[in-house]
């Protein structure tokens, strides 16, 4: 029997409110059946019917194994209306039970009745470092009467840049830094809250605090602005709307300066008691100003939240009398501070940093560059005061607290790890402490850089959605987290950044207008799209983005005379010793990505049944490959007179007989561009570049690092991939960890001071994929995890491995341990998934679930639990 669990509507968990698209349903599977042979989805507009198994709106029963993205095909769904849904599954033998009930509700569907409002002339301040103008936080309020009994109430709200919502004095929701950032000239996301319990029949009031966020002049926007629509559905069936309009009032309040890089200044003496309650006298508050606003779109991604609260690991007094606190790991977020019996008007300053000065007596904030990263709290002087910032965030492990009244103890301060609250679906552990630490660094860096957009870093004056960083880590992120909704939104950001000529910006949303992107960055469009389809069998995204992706590839074509791409400024960014890839030509990485994206486009055309395009782009890819090989593939005699084949890099000195780099060869090997007769030779050159020329170290920047371990593993050298990962001297991941890293560095070097040396960049995090894909050996080989290949790797240095992935189909787990000369492997595979188990090189399967088998090297598996014994093949 099988059952649907973890119901998702548009990738989100129930209740999904405010939808503005035709919903798609997905579920995971559990139970002891093998296959889903049939499903029945029912959708009802009332709970009683759904409980009785009746879909009074839509029922769909199909012989199908599909469990992902099944689109609703019933009658038109109505604005503001809620729907219940359930699924029942059949396996090869029998009908299963109904799933639990999910709920989704449509939003206004274009029925926008409110106006965008702002403060006519807000006080502004200049971020001293940035010298750009920001505004004091604005406090909006509106009082209103509800005169009947309330059945349900919803708020649809978008506050640009960031807002906090209060109803009758109570904070609504636990989202922080909402909404997720977008290009506000094109679209703003609205969040939907169920506020039924916040309202009463009689007098009510709404309060909203609005901050700058990323809606700033520097990024091309004007003053912060607010849109809110409250929808009330009375028990008697009538409706009422309360919307942002000219009847609202606005004022400044205790939160003054605020900016994501700047930090915050909060003057508690200016707190306005009762401002968000009915009956408050707002006589002195200003009228609001009506302004234009962008189209609204539902925010359909997990929201940002305080996801972890961290207690201090160490706390000490500096020679200046300030307190320094170490939270033990580098995170994104802020601290919450508790003060007792301070004096009115005293100011506490909290500074944030990733690193300490070697004296341990002060923070080293130099690598934050222009980000002030400081919060200030001015006390009101009444008993216990608790402060945490709301419209800023910092990347930090250490804070310094200055002018704290009395003695700061560990009970007075805690760190809030803030990020988009994506579901963790992957777990990995093994017997190597070092590999576990690398994994944990990647996971921490990944989370700290999920801020409604995938950022490069959380601490310095950037925090941009750099496409390169995002594309290089998409596969790793999808092994570790449910990224479907997040990337769906990010693909929209990329699409909106596209210009008429097809080019896209290096960063999306394009707060920095960096057109055209380096192709190694721009590939994020094709790459993320492809992985989203492949991991979640999402056809809709392919349809939505096909035309724009085609325009992007055509843009590359226009800029690639003789099929060699002239664009690019970063290339194999940040190899050891430099920012710029001095020896790996830009034209090589750019042309390689042109080929890569053209192939993806032709693959997508095939899936969408666009035959002509499929052939056109396959042909184009062939021509690019030829040009690439003609231009870069070289055969020369080495000093022993042997002919060697390699992809040429930049010659830095006349003695450079074989001018090449690991990356130059890794890239064409990865997607099989190397002519068959040269493949072995090119691979040998790569081995030599690693083992001999670099003493088994990476010589790659972020691009090469993404592919190198995979190329080694696919060509019989998993051992070499592992050796690279187990290194502890420079340049290596172990080197970062030996130097105290809890998140990945931007550079292979341990750098201090001003400049480019973030200690929390995820762009090298692609290595984490290797742990799942090669060491544990889990590889999806068909869209939506329908089919997997399981081929663990048993190196001598490691005794056990565990990898567990809650895939979009269901649980997939493998663990293996060494037992003397044998290895015991346990595999759990969810219903509706099939796979091939492949014994590692040099091993044969001798028993499965306690039954002897005749030393097979591969066998097919389907849903179930397998206990597999493997033995070394004796060498004859
Ligand atoms: C960012 C990166 C980004 C790069 C592009 C850096 O300043 O932090 O991660 O991809 O610039 O050159």
């Amino acid at each position: 029997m099988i059952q649907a669990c973890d119901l998702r509507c548009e990738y989100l968990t129930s209740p999904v409110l405010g939808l503005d698209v035709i919903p798609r349903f997905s579920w995971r599977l559990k139970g002891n059946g093998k296959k889903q042979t049939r499903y029945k989805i029912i959708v009802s507009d009332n709970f009683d019917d759904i409980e009785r198994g009746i879909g009074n709106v839509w029922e769909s029963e199909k012989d199908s194994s599909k469990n992902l993205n099944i689109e609703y095909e019933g009658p038109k769904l109505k604005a503001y209306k809620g729907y219940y849904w359930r699924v029942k599954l059949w396996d090869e033998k029998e009908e299963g039970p109904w799933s639990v009930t999910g709920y989704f509700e449509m939003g206004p569907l274009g029925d926008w009745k409110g106006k965008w409002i702002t403060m006519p002339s807000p006080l502004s301040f200049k971020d001293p470092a940035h010298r750009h103008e920001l505004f004091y936080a604005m406090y909006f309020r509106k009082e209103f009467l509800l005169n009947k009994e309330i059945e349900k109430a919803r708020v649809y709200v978008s506050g640009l840049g960031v807002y906090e919502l209060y109803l009758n004095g109570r904070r609504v929701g636990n989202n922080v830094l909402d909404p997720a950032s977008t290009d506000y000239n094109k679209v703003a996301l609205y969040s939907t809250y169920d506020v039924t319990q916040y309202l009463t029949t009689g007098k009510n009031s709404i309060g909203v605090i609005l901050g700058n966020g990323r809606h700033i002049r520097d990024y091309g926007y004007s003053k912060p602005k607010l849109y809110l629509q409250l929808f009330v559905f009375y028990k008697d069936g009538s409706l009422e709307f309360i919307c942002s309009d000219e009847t609202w009032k606005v004022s400044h309040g205790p939160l003054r300066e605020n900016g994501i890089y700047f930090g915050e200044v909060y003057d508690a003496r200016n707190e306005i008691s009762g401002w968000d309650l009915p009956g408050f006298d707002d006589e002195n508050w200003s009228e609001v100003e009506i302004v234009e606003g962008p189209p609204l779109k539902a925010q359909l991604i997990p929201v940002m939240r305080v996801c972890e609260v961290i207690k201090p690991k160490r706390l000490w007094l500096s020679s200046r009398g300030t307190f320094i606190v170490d939270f033990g790991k580098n995170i994104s977020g802020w601290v919450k501070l508790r003060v007792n019996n301070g004096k009115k008007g005293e100011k506490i300053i909290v500074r944030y940093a990733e690193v300490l000065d070697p004296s341990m007596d002060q923070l080293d904030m130099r690598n934050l560059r222009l980000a002030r990263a400081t919060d200030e709290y001015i006390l009101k002087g009444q008993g216990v005061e608790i402060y945490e910032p709301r419209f800023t965030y910092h990347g930090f492990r250490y804070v310094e607290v200055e002018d704290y009244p009395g003695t700061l103890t560990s009970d007075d301060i805690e760190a809030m790890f803030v990020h988009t609250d994506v579901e963790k679906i992957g777990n990995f552990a093994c017997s190597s402490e070092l590999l576990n630490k690398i994994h944990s660094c990647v996971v921490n860096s990944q989370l700290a850089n999920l801020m409604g957009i995938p950022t490069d870093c959380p601490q310095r004056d950037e925090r941009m959605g750099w496409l390169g960083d995002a594309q290089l880590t998409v596969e790793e992120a999808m092994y570790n987290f449910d990224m479907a909704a997040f990337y769906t939104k990010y693909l929209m950001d990329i699409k909106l950044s596209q210009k008429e000529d097809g080019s896209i910006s290096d960063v999306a949303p394009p707060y920095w207008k960096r057109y055209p992107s380096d192709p190694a960055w721009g590939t994020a469009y094709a790459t993320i799209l492809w992985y989203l389809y492949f991991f979640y069998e999402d056809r809709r995204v392919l349809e939505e983005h096909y035309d724009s992706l085609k325009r992007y590839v055509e843009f590359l074509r226009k800029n690639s005379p003789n099929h060699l791409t002239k664009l690019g400024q970063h290339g194999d960014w940040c190899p050891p010793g430099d920012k710029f890839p001095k020896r790996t030509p830009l034209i090589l990485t750019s042309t390689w990505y042109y080929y890569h994206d053209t192939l993806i486009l032709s693959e997508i055309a095939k899936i969408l049944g666009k035959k002509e395009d499929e052939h056109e782009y396959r042909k184009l890819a062939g021509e690019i490959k030829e040009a690439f090989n003609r231009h870069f593939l070289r055969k020369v005699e080495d000093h022993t007179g042997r002919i060697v084949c390699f992809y040429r890099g930049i010659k830095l000195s006349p003695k450079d007989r074989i001018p090449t780099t690991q990356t130059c060869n890794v890239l064409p090997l990865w997607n099989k561009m190397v002519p068959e007769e040269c493949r072995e030779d090119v691979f040998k050159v790569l081995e030599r570049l690693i083992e001999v020329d670099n003493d088994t170290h990476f010589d790659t920047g972020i691009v090469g690092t993404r592919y190198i371990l995979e190329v080694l593993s696919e060509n019989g050298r998993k051992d070499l991939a592992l050796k690279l990962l187990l290194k502890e001297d420079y340049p290596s991941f172990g080197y970062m960890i030996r130097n105290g890293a809890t998140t990945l560095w931007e550079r292979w070097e341990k750098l201090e001071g001003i400049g480019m040396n973030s200690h929390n960049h995820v762009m090298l995090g692609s290595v984490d994929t290797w742990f799942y894909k090669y060491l544990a050996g889990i590889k999806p080989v068909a869209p939506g995890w329908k089919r997997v290949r399981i081929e663990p790797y048993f190196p001598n240095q490691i005794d056990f491995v565990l990898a567990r992935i809650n895939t979009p189909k269901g649980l997939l787990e493998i663990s293996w341990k060494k037992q003397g000369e044998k290895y015991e492997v346990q595999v759990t595979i969810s219903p509706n998934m099939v796979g091939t188990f492949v014994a590692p090189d040099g091993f044969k399967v001798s028993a499965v679930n306690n039954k002897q088998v005749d030393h097979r090297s591969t066998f097919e598996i389907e849903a179930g639990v397998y206990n597999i014994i493997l033995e070394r093949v004796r060498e004859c």
Side-chain angles (χ1 to χ4, degrees):
M1 189 145 70
I2 51 170
Q3 191 176 6
C5 56
D6 294 349
L7 265 49
R8 297 281 187 270
C9 172
E10 283 307 306
Y11 294 127
L12 299 172
T13 48
S14 204
V16 181
L17 303 181
L19 270 180
D20 61 353
V21 291
I22 297 173
R24 292 168 304 170
F25 306 113
S26 307
W27 54 85
R28 292 192 176 109
L29 295 101
K30 66 176 185 197
N32 53 16
K34 302 285 177 215
K35 247 183 97 57
Q36 172 188 315
T37 56
R38 188 176 184 77
Y39 69 74
K40 179 172 183 179
I41 301 177
I42 57 171
V43 177
S44 165
D45 63 2
N46 68 83
F47 193 67
D48 289 345
D49 275 349
I50 209 83
E51 285 297 291
R52 296 206 317 261
I54 300 169
N56 72 337
V57 175
W58 186 57
E59 293 199 350
S60 172
E61 193 171 326
K62 281 197 179 147
D63 287 335
S64 164
S65 60
K66 235 172 125 48
N67 72 309
L68 290 167
N69 294 311
I70 296 162
E71 192 165 293
Y72 169 83
E73 284 172 341
K76 203 162 182 286
L77 298 166
K78 298 200 182 95
Y80 307 110
K81 203 166 164 64
Y83 300 87
Y84 300 89
W85 69 286
R86 285 172 112 184
V87 197
K88 177 189 283 198
L89 306 179
W90 282 254
D91 63 14
E92 58 290 352
K93 289 201 207 108
E94 57 189 327
E95 179 178 340
W98 281 112
S99 67
V100 296
T101 299
Y103 180 78
F104 67 91
E105 192 177 280
M106 304 312 285
L109 300 182
D111 179 33
W112 298 115
K113 299 180 184 301
K115 296 175 181 162
W116 285 91
I117 57 176
T118 185
M119 192 171 197
S121 24
L123 288 172
S124 69
F125 67 100
K126 286 221 184 337
D127 179 339
H130 273 279
R131 293 182 302 280
H132 57 241
E133 191 179 24
L134 297 169
F135 299 94
Y136 277 28
M138 303 171 188
Y139 289 67
F140 293 88
R141 73 180 307 275
K142 164 79 187 169
E143 223 170 289
F144 56 96
L145 206 62
L146 298 177
N147 46 22
K148 298 187 216 166
E149 263 195 275
I150 303 160
E151 170 78 25
K152 75 172 187 186
R154 302 286 184 259
V155 165
Y156 311 97
V157 57
S158 186
L160 306 180
V162 280
Y163 71 91
E164 258 185 24
L165 171 64
Y166 295 80
L167 278 185
N168 293 327
R170 274 167 70 200
R171 166 93 198 274
V172 179
N174 61 359
N175 313 12
V176 299
L177 300 170
D178 201 64
S181 332
T182 51
D183 180 350
Y184 307 117
N185 286 329
K186 305 232 166 102
V187 71
L189 301 182
Y190 67 87
S191 295
T192 306
Y193 299 97
D194 175 356
V195 294
T196 318
Q197 303 307 324
Y198 290 75
L199 299 172
T200 58
T201 306
K203 277 190 184 167
N204 291 275
S205 69
I206 304 174
V208 177
I209 315 177
L210 187 64
N212 294 292
R214 294 177 189 265
H215 191 273
I216 57 178
R217 289 226 165 115
D218 214 37
Y219 292 178
Y221 310 111
S222 50
K223 287 182 287 188
K225 54 190 169 194
L226 170 71
Y227 183 93
L228 185 143
Q229 179 157 327
L230 166 66
F231 160 74
V232 183
F233 185 66
Y234 289 118
K235 287 217 159 113
D236 68 3
S238 58
L239 312 178
E240 182 144 7
F241 290 93
I242 314 291
C243 299
S244 49
D245 61 16
E246 40 284 283
T247 63
W248 287 48
K249 289 290 200 72
V250 64
S251 161
H252 286 307
L255 177 55
R256 296 171 8 193
E257 290 94 333
N258 65 93
I260 60 165
Y261 309 122
F262 176 87
E264 267 190 21
V265 178
Y266 187 93
D267 188 343
R269 293 171 305 179
N270 294 345
E271 281 179 354
I272 312 166
S273 161
W275 72 279
D276 48 1
L277 288 172
F280 175 79
D281 178 6
D282 57 19
E283 199 43 41
N284 295 328
W285 284 39
S286 324
E287 306 290 316
V288 295
E289 180 189 338
I290 308 292
V291 284
E292 289 294 305
L296 288 159
K297 209 181 152 0
Q299 170 159 290
L300 297 178
I301 64 170
V303 295
M304 287 179 64
R305 269 194 252 276
V306 172
C307 296
E308 190 184 339
V309 177
I310 304 168
K311 295 264 172 226
K313 292 278 166 308
R314 285 182 306 161
L315 187 159
W316 66 97
L317 197 63
S318 77
S319 62
R320 280 156 290 112
T322 59
F323 294 94
I324 298 182
V325 189
D326 174 3
F327 288 99
K329 79 173 179 186
N330 207 10
I331 61 165
S332 49
W334 52 73
V335 296
K336 184 172 179 178
L337 204 59
R338 189 176 160 277
V339 192
N340 200 356
N341 286 327
K343 285 206 198 68
K344 185 171 179 177
E346 277 180 347
K347 179 158 84 179
I348 304 172
I349 302 174
V350 187
R351 295 191 190 85
Y352 296 79
E354 294 186 299
V355 273
L356 275 185
D357 183 79
S359 66
M360 306 255 299
D361 199 43
Q362 59 181 3
L363 307 184
D364 183 349
M365 295 177 77
R366 290 171 301 166
N367 72 338
L368 309 184
R369 302 195 309 213
L370 298 179
R372 179 175 163 272
T374 303
D375 298 331
E376 295 177 15
Y377 179 76
I378 303 167
L379 281 85
K380 58 187 165 200
Q382 286 165 12
V384 176
E385 297 179 46
I386 291 179
Y387 168 66
E388 64 180 308
R390 34 162 87 75
F391 294 155
T392 187
Y393 74 93
H394 311 285
F396 69 102
R397 169 175 169 168
Y398 304 96
V399 299
E400 180 181 33
V401 183
E402 187 177 319
D403 290 337
Y404 182 84
T407 303
L408 182 76
T409 71
S410 291
D411 295 332
D412 302 319
I413 188 164
E414 48 196 8
M416 308 299 195
F417 191 178
V418 173
H419 53 80
T420 301
D421 194 9
V422 287
E423 178 195 351
K424 179 128 180 0
I425 59 153
N427 280 287
F428 167 83
C430 71
S431 59
S432 156
E433 246 340 271
L434 176 57
L435 298 193
N436 293 340
K437 282 192 174 152
I438 297 175
H439 170 66
S440 131
C441 276
V442 175
V443 168
N444 284 339
S445 310
Q446 185 62 72
L447 289 174
N449 283 297
L450 295 180
M451 293 289 182
I453 52 171
T455 57
D456 55 339
C457 54
Q459 75 299 83
R460 69 174 179 227
D461 53 355
E462 290 203 42
R463 314 185 196 181
M464 285 287 155
W466 283 96
L467 300 187
D469 310 44
Q471 70 95 355
L472 293 165
T473 47
V474 56
E475 196 183 11
E476 162 272 305
M478 283 188 179
Y479 269 105
N480 281 308
F481 304 103
D482 180 349
M483 296 298 292
F486 186 89
Y487 284 136
T488 304
K489 182 263 177 191
Y490 193 54
L491 285 172
M492 173 196 79
D493 294 329
I494 300 178
K495 181 174 178 169
L496 290 178
S497 86
Q498 188 165 41
K499 281 201 192 166
E500 268 302 289
D501 64 0
S503 65
I504 52 184
S505 165
D506 262 339
V507 299
Y511 300 136
W512 290 349
K513 312 263 174 293
R514 299 188 51 113
Y515 291 92
S517 60
D518 183 301
W521 271 240
T523 185
Y525 201 14
T527 302
I528 297 178
L529 189 55
W530 179 252
Y531 276 99
L532 194 51
Y533 166 73
F534 194 73
F535 272 58
Y536 298 90
E537 213 178 348
D538 189 333
R539 212 184 134 95
R540 186 190 280 177
V541 280
L542 298 186
E543 281 158 1
E544 271 177 17
H545 292 278
Y546 184 79
D547 290 340
S548 307
L549 181 63
K550 184 169 156 183
R551 279 173 53 219
Y552 173 64
V553 170
E554 285 301 327
F555 172 79
L556 292 179
R557 180 173 357 202
K558 238 178 265 137
N559 286 281
S560 305
N562 304 319
H563 300 306
L564 297 170
T565 309
K566 292 275 186 260
L567 309 165
Q569 52 271 295
H570 321 300
D572 190 23
W573 189 241
C574 295
D578 221 314
K579 278 197 286 208
F580 294 102
K582 290 219 179 84
R583 291 162 54 86
T584 305
L586 279 178
I587 183 172
L588 183 143
T589 39
S590 296
T591 305
W592 186 79
Y593 274 112
Y594 172 34
Y595 172 74
H596 174 271
D597 293 358
T598 305
L599 262 192
I600 290 185
L601 181 64
S602 112
E603 202 50 42
I604 296 176
K606 181 171 161 195
I607 295 163
L608 297 181
K610 297 174 189 290
K611 283 226 154 27
E612 249 175 61
D613 279 10
E614 179 198 342
H615 293 131
E616 165 70 14
Y617 290 105
R618 176 128 319 131
K619 191 168 133 271
L620 176 61
E623 288 162 12
I624 305 169
K625 176 158 99 177
E626 234 181 87
F628 186 90
N629 286 332
R630 206 178 323 114
H631 198 74
F632 298 109
L633 184 58
R634 287 288 170 273
K635 291 183 187 181
V636 296
E637 258 180 44
D638 70 4
H639 61 284
T640 63
R642 230 176 44 94
I643 299 290
V644 284
C645 274
F646 65 95
Y647 283 80
R648 89 184 152 81
I650 294 167
K651 199 170 180 137
L652 289 182
S653 90
K655 278 198 265 154
D656 225 355
R657 275 185 57 78
I658 303 182
T660 186
T661 62
Q662 295 173 5
T663 300
C664 289
N665 299 284
V666 159
L667 297 182
L669 280 165
W670 187 79
N671 53 10
K672 305 191 172 49
M673 287 170 95
V674 187
E676 200 37 47
E677 66 280 10
C678 306
R679 211 193 48 80
E680 226 181 290
D681 281 354
V682 171
F683 188 71
K684 275 196 193 122
V685 167
L686 174 64
E687 289 178 300
R688 206 170 77 196
L689 284 165
I690 299 171
E691 293 178 299
V692 181
D693 298 5
N694 286 284
D695 185 25
T696 311
H697 285 91
F698 292 98
D699 157 39
T700 45
I702 55 173
V703 170
T705 307
R706 154 71 179 84
Y707 306 99
I708 192 168
L709 301 177
E710 197 155 335
V711 164
L712 292 173
S713 305
E714 294 292 337
N715 287 278
R717 292 299 313 267
K718 287 181 188 154
D719 63 311
L720 187 51
L722 180 64
K723 273 189 194 154
L724 285 171
L725 286 169
L726 289 174
K727 280 279 162 183
E728 292 191 60
D729 56 344
Y730 168 81
S732 69
F733 291 95
Y735 176 72
M736 297 185 196
I737 283 159
R738 245 187 38 208
N739 281 284
T742 58
T743 43
L744 296 180
W745 300 344
E746 176 176 27
R747 309 284 296 273
W748 289 109
E749 293 75 37
K750 181 169 198 277
L751 295 174
E752 274 149 14
I754 192 159
M756 248 193 56
N757 60 73
S758 136
H759 287 242
N760 198 351
H761 253 63
V762 70
M763 64 195 190
L764 286 169
S766 52
V767 292
D768 201 53
T769 306
W770 193 83
F771 301 139
Y772 289 104
K773 210 167 161 180
Y774 293 99
L775 190 54
I778 298 178
K779 239 193 241 179
V781 291
W785 292 81
K786 272 197 282 281
R787 170 163 272 283
V788 292
R789 180 184 166 95
I790 299 189
E791 182 183 2
Y793 167 47
F794 303 149
N796 288 334
Q797 303 95 314
I798 294 180
D799 297 333
F800 80 83
V801 164
L802 165 81
R804 181 186 301 131
I805 306 174
N806 203 3
T807 75
K809 285 265 176 298
L811 186 68
L812 179 59
E813 179 175 318
I814 169 165
S815 61
W816 60 256
K817 58 177 185 282
K818 193 170 176 178
Q819 297 208 311
E821 274 307 284
K822 295 184 181 172
Y823 281 81
E824 188 183 339
V825 181
Q826 177 104 9
V827 176
T828 306
I829 172 166
S830 109
N832 221 19
M833 199 186 251
V834 292
T836 311
F837 181 86
V838 182
D841 278 352
F843 288 86
K844 285 268 191 273
V845 176
S846 63
V848 178
N849 293 344
N850 292 324
K851 277 199 210 96
Q852 302 295 317
V853 295
D854 48 353
H855 285 77
R856 273 187 263 165
S857 56
T858 103
F859 65 96
E860 290 300 291
I861 50 179
E862 53 182 4
V865 180
Y866 298 82
N867 187 278
I868 307 162
I869 306 295
L870 290 113
E871 287 175 28
R872 225 174 265 282
V873 188
R874 264 178 250 290
E875 313 217 334
C876 351

